[in-house]
């Protein structure tokens, strides 16, 4: 016993270091990677004031970019309006008529500000200063004036949590404007926050650097035609059937400030149809019953 | 007592500069400077080794609480203080420093080349530990190395700026 005490007394400095390091690493593993989604409630309560202050400081540093973004956003909104008008036939009685303008529209746009953003983690999340009181619900898409940003995964009363494109769980199929085709899956590898990987594109597809990628009309979350990014490098070899493509994101996640949350007016119809798709197990059961 | 208050105040100032300015200004994705390491460099080497370890823990926690990074800065601060204690024991001679009238590391001790190598090494160790916890996977080994070296260089630059500002005052 005495030997143990003597040993502890001699090794007090390394032991204190190990104790403090364990305490710190416990915090990292407990909170860091998914802290926003798991402890969303606490984040809103405890960090709200600090977040606001941080957002204000950040807004001051980004005023010039914000002005440019707003101008670009106005242009984008005008384009979207035109696109909506031509897309919806006036004969379609299900089309939504905007009370103020009388235009037939398919999407509603909600402006929001980013109050917390990260780019350095493996799974990045964004917090917006709008919640379900402002009409924001799960699975709504979020875009910036530059391009896609992410998808709403949780909404509280006044704030909402967005899964960023810079999240290992985020995936989207792009539309190649030059090739008029939708192929492959875009995902982030967790390294450079300005580029993402595009995989599962058939190697016979003629991919070139500089090609623009947009959201496809197969996406249930994003409207078609929103910029994703530009191809900066592609390679293929005979061993694999697929290209290996790097895409530079249109959105600069380091400068994110004002974003638009897009609400599909027909989302309930889409969800109902999506739920009605039978899974393979159900089909098998039905076959057996018949 | 006045000395301790001075160190606590400068720790708070460095924590605020780190979380509200340096963390928010995006220089490049591979440059994330953390010049608050200068606090550990400016504290006298004769200070109690347990006290500074606990102090570093709370200093790291302050930055984590303000920046929302939960434990990352704490782990890096505690580790760098522990490693620095052993480096100081091996490389620094406290008696000769006292003869020169120095309490902490300074250009006058062994020349500016030696000083910069020392400061850069401490900053690099701190950044390496931080980014190892940040990326936390083997495949990002070279990214961790590159980001740490680049960020440590920028941190040393900021440390010099802060030292110049403080010395003029």
């Amino acid at each position: 016993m005495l030997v143990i005490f003597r040993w502890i007394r001699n090794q007090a400095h390394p032991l204190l270091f190990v104790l403090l390091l364990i305490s710190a690493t416990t915090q990292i593993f407990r909170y860091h990677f998914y802290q926003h989604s798991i402890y969303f409630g606490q984040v809103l309560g405890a960090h709200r004031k600090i977040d606001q202050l941080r957002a204000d400081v950040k807004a001051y540093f980004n005023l010039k970019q914000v002005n440019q973004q707003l101008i670009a956003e106005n242009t984008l909104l005008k384009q979207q309006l035109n696109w909506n008008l031509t897309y919806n036939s006036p004969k379609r009685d299900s089309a939504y008529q905007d009370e103020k303008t009388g235009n037939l529209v398919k999407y509603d746009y909600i402006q929001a500000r980013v109050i917390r953003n990260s780019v350095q983690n493996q799974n990045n999340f964004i917090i917006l200063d709008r919640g379900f009181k402002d009409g924001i619900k799960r699975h709504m898409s979020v875009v910036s004036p530059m391009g896609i940003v992410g998808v709403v995964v949780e909404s509280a009363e006044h704030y909402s949590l967005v899964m960023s494109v810079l999240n290992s769980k985020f995936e989207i199929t792009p539309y190649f404007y030059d090739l008029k085709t939708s192929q492959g899956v875009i995902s982030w590898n967790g390294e450079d926050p300005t580029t993402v990987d595009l995989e599962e594109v058939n190697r016979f597809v003629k991919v070139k650097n500089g090609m623009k990628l947009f959201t496809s009309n197969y996406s249930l979350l994003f409207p078609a035609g929103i910029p994703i990014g530009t191809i900066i490098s592609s390679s293929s070899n005979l061993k694999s059937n697929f290209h290996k493509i790097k895409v530079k994101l249109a959105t600069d996640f380091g400068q994110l400030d004002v974003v638009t949350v897009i609400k599909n007016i027909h989302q309930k119809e889409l969800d109902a149809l999506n739920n009605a798709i039978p899974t393979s197990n159900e089909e098998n059961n039905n076959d057996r019953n018949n | 007592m006045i000395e301790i208050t001075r160190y606590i105040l400068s720790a708070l100032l460095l924590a605020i500069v780190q979380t509200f300015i340096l963390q928010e200004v995006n220089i490049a994705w591979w440059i994330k400077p953390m010049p608050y390491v200068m606090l550990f460099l400016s504290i006298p080497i004769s200070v109690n080794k347990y006290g500074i370890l606990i102090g570093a823990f709370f200093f790291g926690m302050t930055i984590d609480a303000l920046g929302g990074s939960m434990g990352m800065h704490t782990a890096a601060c505690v580790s760098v203080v522990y490693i620095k204690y052993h480096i100081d024991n091996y490389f620094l001679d406290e008696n000769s420093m006292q003869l020169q009238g120095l309490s902490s590391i300074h250009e006058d001790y062994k020349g500016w080349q030696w000083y910069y190598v020392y400061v850069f090494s401490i900053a690099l160790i701190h950044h390496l530990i931080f980014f190892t916890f940040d990326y936390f996977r083997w495949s990002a080994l070279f990214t961790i190395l590159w980001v740490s070296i680049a960020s440590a260089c920028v941190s040393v630059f900021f440390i010099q700026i802060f030292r110049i500002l403080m010395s003029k005052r």
Side-chain angles (χ1 to χ4, degrees), chain A residues 21 23 32 35 57-58 122, chain B residues 20 24 57 68-69 79 137:
Chain A
L21 193 65
S23 164
H32 203 262
Q35 57 173 328
V57 173
K58 198 177 178 183
Q122 180 74 20
Chain B
F20 289 102
E24 295 299 338
F57 180 77
S69 48
S79 308
R137 59 178 192 278

Side-chain angles (χ1 to χ4, degrees), chain A residues 150-168:
Chain A
V151 175
V152 176
V153 289
E154 200 71 60
S155 69
E157 200 172 345
H158 298 106
Y159 295 86
S160 51
L161 184 74
V162 176
M163 179 164 75
S164 156
V165 176
L166 305 180
N167 188 307
S168 59

Side-chain angles (χ1 to χ4, degrees), chain A residues 12-14 17 21 23-25 27-29 31-32 35 47 50 54 57-58 120 122 189-192 254, chain B residues 19-20 24 26 29 32 49-50 53 57 61 65-66 68-72 75 78-79 82 85 133-134 136-137:
Chain A
H13 190 229
F17 164 65
L21 193 65
S23 164
T25 42
Q27 282 181 44
I28 296 173
F29 296 132
Y31 298 109
H32 203 262
Q35 57 173 328
H47 287 296
I50 297 173
R54 280 157 52 88
V57 173
K58 198 177 178 183
Q120 72 269 48
Q122 180 74 20
N189 62 6
E191 285 172 11
D192 183 356
Chain B
T19 45
F20 289 102
E24 295 299 338
N26 195 14
W29 73 267
K32 289 161 193 160
K49 60 182 178 180
Y50 303 102
L53 209 54
F57 180 77
M61 286 239 306
L66 289 172
S69 48
M70 296 296 174
M72 310 254 278
V78 168
S79 308
Y82 182 74
Y85 171 76
F133 280 117
D134 191 358
F136 212 69
R137 59 178 192 278

Side-chain angles (χ1 to χ4, degrees), chain B residues 42-115:
Chain B
S42 64
I43 286 175
I45 57 163
S46 57
V47 84
N48 184 299
K49 60 182 178 180
Y50 303 102
I52 191 175
L53 209 54
I54 294 167
F57 180 77
F58 285 108
F59 177 57
M61 286 239 306
T62 312
I63 298 174
D64 283 330
L66 289 172
S69 48
M70 296 296 174
M72 310 254 278
H73 290 285
T74 316
C77 284
V78 168
S79 308
V80 83
V81 162
Y82 182 74
I83 296 167
K84 183 182 171 291
Y85 171 76
H86 288 285
I87 291 176
D88 289 355
N89 269 354
Y90 195 80
F91 289 104
L92 302 187
D93 181 7
E94 210 179 320
N95 292 333
S96 72
M97 281 182 83
Q98 276 175 354
L99 281 175
Q100 282 182 286
L102 302 170
S103 58
S104 59
I105 188 71
H106 197 272
E107 282 106 325
D108 296 344
Y109 177 55
K110 280 185 182 175
W112 62 269
Q113 296 98 328
W114 195 91
Y115 168 80

Side-chain angles (χ1 to χ4, degrees), chain A residues 94-191:
Chain A
S94 64
Y96 170 82
Q97 193 156 22
D98 189 22
E99 285 174 7
K100 285 178 194 160
T101 59
N103 291 335
L104 295 164
V105 293
K106 192 183 166 195
Y107 295 103
D108 253 357
Y109 303 94
I110 304 160
Q111 300 294 320
R113 255 196 131 147
V114 174
I115 61 162
R116 182 175 270 272
N117 180 20
S118 68
V119 295
Q120 72 269 48
N121 302 333
Q122 180 74 20
N123 294 296
N124 292 296
F125 290 90
I126 295 164
I127 296 182
L128 306 179
D129 66 345
R130 295 260 188 274
F132 62 72
K133 273 208 166 174
D134 307 287
I136 292 181
K137 287 177 189 162
R138 282 186 76 178
H139 296 156
M140 284 186 179
S141 50
V142 182
V143 300
S144 77
M146 300 167 274
I148 62 167
V149 170
V151 175
V152 176
V153 289
E154 200 71 60
S155 69
E157 200 172 345
H158 298 106
Y159 295 86
S160 51
L161 184 74
V162 176
M163 179 164 75
S164 156
V165 176
L166 305 180
N167 188 307
S168 59
K169 292 189 175 137
F170 186 94
E171 285 184 346
I172 191 166
T173 299
Y175 174 75
F176 291 75
Y177 180 77
D178 302 299
L179 304 171
K180 308 284 178 233
T181 176
S182 297
Q183 262 206 37
V185 176
I186 277 181
S187 60
W188 190 48
N189 62 6
E191 285 172 11

